[in-house]
Amino acid sequence: MTVDHPLSKHSGVVKIVEVGARDGLQNETGVVPTTTKIELLEKLSSAGLTHIEAGSFVSPKWVPQMADTPEIMKHLRTKPPFAPAGVTYSYLTPNMKGLKDFISHSTLNTGVSVSEHASEIAIFGSASEGFSQKNINCSIAESLERFRPVAQLALENGIKVRGYVSMIIECPYDGPTSPMKVADVVEGLLDIGCYEVSLGDTNGVGTPGTIGTLVNYLIKDRGIPAEKLAAHFHDTYGQAIVNCLVALEAGIRTFDSSVAGLGGCPYSKGATGNVATEDLVYFLEGTGVKTNVDMTQIVEIGDWISKKLGRKNESKVGTALMARRWGDGSKL
């Protein structure tokens, strides 16, 4: 007797947004050499990932790790990495200065317009007033008004805009976050022109219950299309993969992840990295959902970058598969 896989109805292809080179590396205490960042981006591109965060156009005073973003952008544009499929490189631009720097550097030495390149910008808000003040020094309402002209100018220049909303479940400053507040921010970001909004469980406190309540409220009660949403789960309490399952069942088809589980949050004590890309690919492919990401390559990349940074590889799948390789000499 043939039994259908319980997730067979979710078959198809999902989009993975790799955030390790930006969201992950910006939390490293030591300065990561530009050459290492570029090599990481080249390796990730060759592994079949089609959407990769490459840097941030923010003040080096606030995020010194991202000070070399212009140099990285120049390299990616003048010496595009080998990739089996086209890659969109994303850059955070939290304000008008960041966007103008992005536009300036993206056309510098290339002689072509921004829209001819596979790149986009991202803006980030919060569903928590306390975190909004800590992270971007303004209220939620003020942040949306600040983002409006940024998104407008980007769209006028043919640049796609992605949105992020943080603290979707609970905030270390304000406590539990209301799903209604999350919905308001998501709708606000979509209203100003974001093609997609990533739901960030920034401190990783979400569970299948709280995540399920939220995504069902957003999609069923507020009528926000599932295709306009992405899931961005941190693995602080080991719930990220099961939360991805809940999001998948709700209809979400875009997931943010970080190779080797790189990341954290400087304004949320104890928060660990994003769900590891290796773990996410293993989970999705195991349910019959295609990612088009080369598992062998992504595991090797996670092992490589962890050694480069002198840190523990937080991917359970990556660690297990590398141990098997060294243990019996088998292929991954």
Side-chain angles (χ1 to χ4, degrees), residues 56-119:
S56 299
F57 284 91
V58 296
S59 170
K61 174 184 176 182
W62 298 110
V63 191
Q65 192 72 262
M66 295 290 106
D68 55 359
T69 292
E71 185 177 349
I72 290 170
M73 171 180 269
K74 178 182 177 181
H75 179 90
L76 293 175
R77 289 187 178 274
T78 57
K79 299 177 181 179
F82 164 78
V87 180
T88 295
Y89 297 104
S90 178
Y91 301 86
L92 262 64
T93 60
N95 50 41
M96 192 63 78
K97 183 181 185 306
L99 174 61
K100 290 180 178 180
D101 286 345
F102 167 86
I103 293 174
S104 172
H105 289 289
S106 64
T107 56
L108 193 64
N109 298 320
T110 64
V112 294
S113 68
V114 174
S115 60
E116 291 177 309
H117 291 289
S119 60

Side-chain angles (χ1 to χ4, degrees), residues 21-82:
R22 196 283 304 174
D23 196 8
L25 293 186
Q26 77 173 19
N27 288 286
E28 291 295 311
T29 53
V31 176
V32 181
T34 303
T35 53
T36 299
K37 295 177 185 176
I38 289 174
E39 188 173 358
L40 174 59
L41 288 163
E42 291 176 335
K43 287 177 180 291
L44 292 170
S45 300
S46 70
L49 290 155
T50 60
H51 198 121
I52 304 171
E53 281 194 349
S56 299
F57 284 91
V58 296
S59 170
K61 174 184 176 182
W62 298 110
V63 191
Q65 192 72 262
M66 295 290 106
D68 55 359
T69 292
E71 185 177 349
I72 290 170
M73 171 180 269
K74 178 182 177 181
H75 179 90
L76 293 175
R77 289 187 178 274
T78 57
K79 299 177 181 179
F82 164 78

Side-chain angles (χ1 to χ4, degrees), residues 181-262:
K181 181 71 78 171
V182 178
D184 289 343
V185 179
V186 170
E187 290 173 343
L189 289 169
L190 292 174
D191 179 65
I192 64 176
C194 294
Y195 73 89
E196 175 180 275
V197 177
S198 181
L199 305 171
D201 181 17
T202 316
N203 44 6
V205 300
T207 64
T210 55
I211 294 295
T213 296
L214 173 63
V215 295
N216 281 297
Y217 173 77
L218 296 176
I219 296 167
K220 295 180 180 180
D221 296 343
R222 294 292 282 260
I224 299 172
E227 59 268 24
K228 294 286 188 180
L229 300 173
H232 181 111
F233 300 143
H234 286 240
D235 204 31
T236 310
Y237 291 86
Q239 302 293 294
I241 284 294
V242 70
N243 288 340
C244 286
L245 172 59
V246 172
L248 184 71
E249 291 181 323
I252 292 174
R253 293 293 179 272
T254 300
F255 296 87
D256 297 356
S257 64
S258 177
V259 65
L262 297 174

